[in-house]
Amino acid sequence: MAAEHVPEPVARLAEEVVDHRFKGLPPDAVGLTVGALAAQRRSVFSGGFTTPVLTLSAGALEHNLRQLGDFCARHGLAFAPHGKTSMAPRLFARQLDLGAWGVTAAVPWHARVYRAFGIERIFLANEVVDAAALRWMADEQAADPRARFVCYVDSVRGVELMGAALGPASDAAGPVRPLDVVVELGVPGGRTGVRTAEEAARVADAVAAVPALRLVGVAGYEGEVPDADADRVRAWLRSLTALAAELDAAGRFAGLGADEEIVVSAGGSAWFDVVAEEFAALPALSRPVLRLLRSGAYVSHDDDHYRRLTPFNRIPDEGSLLPAFRLWAQVVSRPEPHLAFLNAGKRDASYDLGLPRPVAVRTPEGVERDAAGLEVVRLADQHAFVTVAPDAELEVGDWVALGLSHPCTVFDRWQLIPVVEADGTVTDFVRTFF
């Protein structure tokens, strides 16, 4: 992966020692640092890597990272990619290189990882009512003037708990920086968030009564719209932008300076084109607006769920995304003519949004072909059940490349992932923290 600037904590990941913790890595690499192993440029096929082994395509990764960065730049969007997809500081650093405003977290522990690797701006897409986590966030902001957290609020009770945990707005050392919050708008039948503008106003009133909090905007997640299609998502987004305008007209963002930005945020990986359209139509507010997109799964993309849903299918002139994952497993048994077993299963592959899909077969001699006639029909803990068509070739010892679905549940199964060139040469490693 190219990089203009790698923060020191991220650079130090190359000094980690390879050992038994990292599955799929060569047994003879134990004792080497990650950086030293990458410098050897071994082949994932002949360099001692053991199956199953997950790989990330260097070319696809860089392509995808640039595509969303370019899309946001064209449409006047700030970008805080959802880091819980990968929990990979090396990828965060590259996203920031390419212009990301910050990184989105789902829970306070994500934010702790981000801060450990130098992330300054963190959008926490949840209401935080854990007193210990809130105090840690306040301490981080007090210790580092560049650190900034923005998190959801969606209930008066939650705001009260936050205020109790954060305490007064000043102490013996002087004023304490308030924690920035945005009112989350949900949808009936969906997930978290207020359901009406009236509820939002009550939550905003509660925030105004807590000096340790500052209301800075509105946010939500359009992916929770039931039976989502472009019209339903657009209608919800218009409710979100209307809420921003209503709260602004009522003076709810009075805590912001004249040049500070009102935050309006949404955006998963399925509807970012509609988000861009509706955010562009946001009426002028009393202050500048930070139109913040939060897509995350685009980094690695996938071979099923997001491949079907990506907005670039609807707007191909705007860009494209490429599947970056390949899970290589070996055929370990052919007990029946129509059946084969691979040595990868639920412990290795995501399956919550679709089973893995065979995309290539490679013989021990290095001959590669497509995987026509093969289908994964079931996963056990450490085996994939593969049906084999009568005219398909498949032998014990063959390597099978599996395309995967749902990046969020792929990264969390692998702590150190080889990054490979098209010929299988390993040039880098991505360290994850789950």
Side-chain angles (χ1 to χ4, degrees):
M1 281 175 290
E4 296 174 10
H5 173 257
V6 179
E8 182 182 350
V10 178
R12 285 201 301 267
L13 290 173
E15 301 169 7
E16 192 164 14
V17 175
V18 174
D19 58 24
H20 61 277
R21 293 171 296 161
F22 306 122
K23 59 185 180 180
L25 270 59
D28 67 353
V30 170
L32 294 175
T33 65
V34 171
L37 180 57
Q40 291 182 354
R41 296 181 62 86
R42 298 192 188 193
S43 168
V44 76
F45 305 115
S46 60
F49 289 83
T50 63
T51 57
V53 58
L54 181 71
T55 65
L56 280 164
S57 163
L61 268 179
E62 185 65 14
H63 172 87
N64 293 345
L65 290 166
R66 288 185 176 277
Q67 290 292 284
L68 255 290
D70 291 346
F71 178 87
C72 289
R74 285 195 302 274
H75 291 276
L77 299 171
F79 191 31
H82 216 316
K84 59 94 176 174
T85 298
S86 69
M87 291 302 293
R90 184 69 186 80
L91 297 180
F92 301 160
R94 186 66 183 133
Q95 290 168 319
L96 293 168
D97 275 350
L98 294 170
W101 172 90
V103 183
T104 296
V107 292
W109 171 70
H110 293 159
R112 290 182 62 197
V113 174
Y114 300 175
R115 289 294 295 150
F117 288 94
I119 306 300
E120 295 174 356
R121 293 170 175 162
I122 297 171
F123 187 97
L124 211 162
N126 235 329
E127 183 170 72
V128 180
V129 293
D130 183 305
L134 287 161
R135 288 194 291 269
W136 170 78
M137 292 161 68
D139 289 345
E140 286 292 299
Q141 289 196 155
D144 183 354
R146 297 168 301 180
R148 183 189 182 191
F149 296 92
V150 180
C151 65
Y152 282 175
V153 288
D154 79 346
S155 67
V156 172
R157 171 63 173 164
V159 170
E160 291 170 346
L161 290 170
M162 294 172 81
L166 291 169
S170 62
D171 59 21
V176 174
R177 286 171 60 196
L179 179 65
D180 288 344
V181 297
V182 291
V183 175
E184 180 194 7
L185 178 66
V187 59
R191 207 160 57 190
T192 55
V194 301
R195 280 10 187 190
T196 66
E198 291 74 23
E199 288 179 72
R202 286 194 290 273
V203 172
D205 283 339
V207 171
V210 176
L213 299 177
R214 183 175 73 152
L215 187 65
V216 300
V218 300
Y221 174 48
E222 74 288 345
E224 280 297 306
V225 173
D227 301 317
D229 60 22
D231 290 338
R232 290 186 176 92
V233 167
R234 185 170 284 107
W236 178 84
L237 285 164
R238 288 178 180 174
S239 297
L240 181 70
T241 55
L243 178 60
E246 289 174 25
L247 292 176
D248 186 45
R252 306 287 189 180
F253 304 129
L256 289 170
D259 295 329
E260 290 188 280
E261 295 170 311
I262 296 170
V263 177
V264 181
S265 179
S269 294
W271 299 102
F272 55 74
D273 57 329
V274 184
V275 172
E277 292 173 11
E278 292 304 319
F279 280 11
L282 184 68
L285 302 182
S286 63
R287 290 162 175 79
V289 177
L290 184 76
R291 295 167 169 84
L292 191 63
L293 186 72
R294 305 192 309 272
S295 308
Y298 82 99
V299 170
S300 59
H301 200 41
D302 68 9
D303 279 271
D304 185 10
H305 183 74
Y306 286 104
R307 192 172 191 170
R308 289 183 281 108
L309 295 181
T310 176
F312 290 142
N313 289 338
R314 298 186 290 270
I315 48 170
D317 290 345
E318 285 272 19
S320 63
L321 296 174
L322 301 173
F325 281 127
R326 286 292 178 264
L327 176 61
W328 288 95
Q330 274 185 292
V331 180
V332 294
S333 181
R334 285 294 318 269
E336 300 172 25
H338 69 286
L339 188 62
F341 287 88
L342 309 181
N343 63 345
K346 294 178 182 178
R347 306 288 186 183
D348 312 297
S350 60
Y351 56 94
D352 57 323
L353 293 180
L355 289 169
R357 183 168 64 88
V359 294
V361 176
R362 184 183 177 92
T363 70
E365 295 75 31
V367 178
E368 194 166 317
R369 61 180 184 272
D370 68 34
L374 306 183
E375 182 183 3
V376 175
V377 295
R378 179 184 163 196
L379 292 179
D381 284 355
Q382 296 295 171
H383 290 95
F385 293 64
V386 180
T387 57
V388 183
D391 58 347
E393 297 179 50
L394 194 65
E395 299 290 341
V396 170
D398 286 348
W399 289 47
V400 178
L402 299 174
L404 303 176
S405 180
H406 199 189
C408 297
T409 53
V410 177
F411 278 105
D412 64 2
R413 287 165 169 77
W414 296 84
Q415 290 184 305
L416 194 61
I417 307 171
V419 179
V420 301
E421 300 293 344
D423 64 356
T425 300
V426 177
T427 58
D428 201 353
F429 291 88
V430 166
R431 180 71 157 95
T432 66
F433 291 83
F434 283 97

